[in-house]
Amino acid sequence: MRIDILTLFPEMFESPLSYSILKRAQQGGIVDIVLTNIRDFAADKYRKVDDKPYGGGPGMVMMPGPIFDCFEHVEKLSAEKGRVILLTPQGQKFNQAKAVELSKEKRLIFISGRYEGFDERIRIGLGAEQISIGDYVLSGGELAAMVAIDAVVRLLPGAVGDEDCPKDDSFSESADGGLEYPQYTRPEVFRGMKVPDILLSGDHGKIAEWRRQQGLERTKKWRPDLLNSGKKEI
Ligand code: 6GU
């Protein structure tokens, strides 16, 4: 997969992309992530990328010119067309199903903005879909882009080793879209709290059933909203 990121702050992405799964996936050729600075496509000598909103109101709005020029430059860097994604609190809420869907694409182009938002002609003109990571407002789309990219890349074949396989994760198909079962590791007794006997029994059938039941109970207790959303089966 190729991922392009159009941003005013490419440096913000460097650290998250330099560790663990995201780092290994890039080194292993599973994903190619390319950062492009929108400000390099500003038209004037002050490198201006935002302006006051028509009709008045607070804050500044991302101008269409620099983003269109940046996009048209980036688009040509690969023959693959790619899906264009604007990060904005007005977008469709990102979830595991969306991560799975995006992980099947050959190319994703993320555009993260700042200020009060994007000039509407950016969304329309670029045919972009919009993604939000939750119902709260961030200072910009960069952290949201990183969240989405992390969730997508770890699903790419070969990105995650057997030691932290995403198969049984919370929200995954094997968890019926609900929460994952409780996990334990050594020691067998820690500060008086014992690992459930069943996990030491070696009976894989019983362990699988116990885990399914535990996942269901935790979902009922902590995330009942997942139960009747067409995700988790009860
Ligand atoms: Cl994608 N952007 C901003 N600025 N705030 C958000 C968001 C995105 N998703 C949730 N809050």
Side-chain angles (χ1 to χ4, degrees), residues 158-171:
V160 168
D162 231 19
E163 71 278 7
D164 40 12
C165 175
K167 184 172 73 66
D168 292 344
D169 283 346
S170 290
F171 319 113

Side-chain angles (χ1 to χ4, degrees), residues 86-90 113 131-142 144-145:
L86 277 183
L87 283 310
T88 147
Q90 283 144 31
I131 282 180
S132 158
I133 61 163
D135 296 339
Y136 39 82
V137 178
L138 302 169
S139 316
E142 297 81 11

Side-chain angles (χ1 to χ4, degrees), residues 1 24 65 123 179 196:
M1 172 182 278
R24 271 187 279 130
R123 179 182 66 78
L179 301 182

Side-chain angles (χ1 to χ4, degrees), residues 188-208:
E188 218 174 288
V189 182
F190 177 73
R191 303 204 176 181
M193 297 176 278
K194 201 177 169 315
V195 174
D197 286 334
I198 189 145
L199 296 178
L200 311 172
S201 71
D203 185 334
H204 297 295
K206 280 210 178 113
I207 291 172

Side-chain angles (χ1 to χ4, degrees), residues 62-76:
M62 299 282 296
M63 297 158 67
I67 291 188
F68 267 72
D69 289 349
C70 183
F71 179 83
E72 280 157 7
H73 164 84
V74 165
E75 200 181 19
K76 290 194 213 90

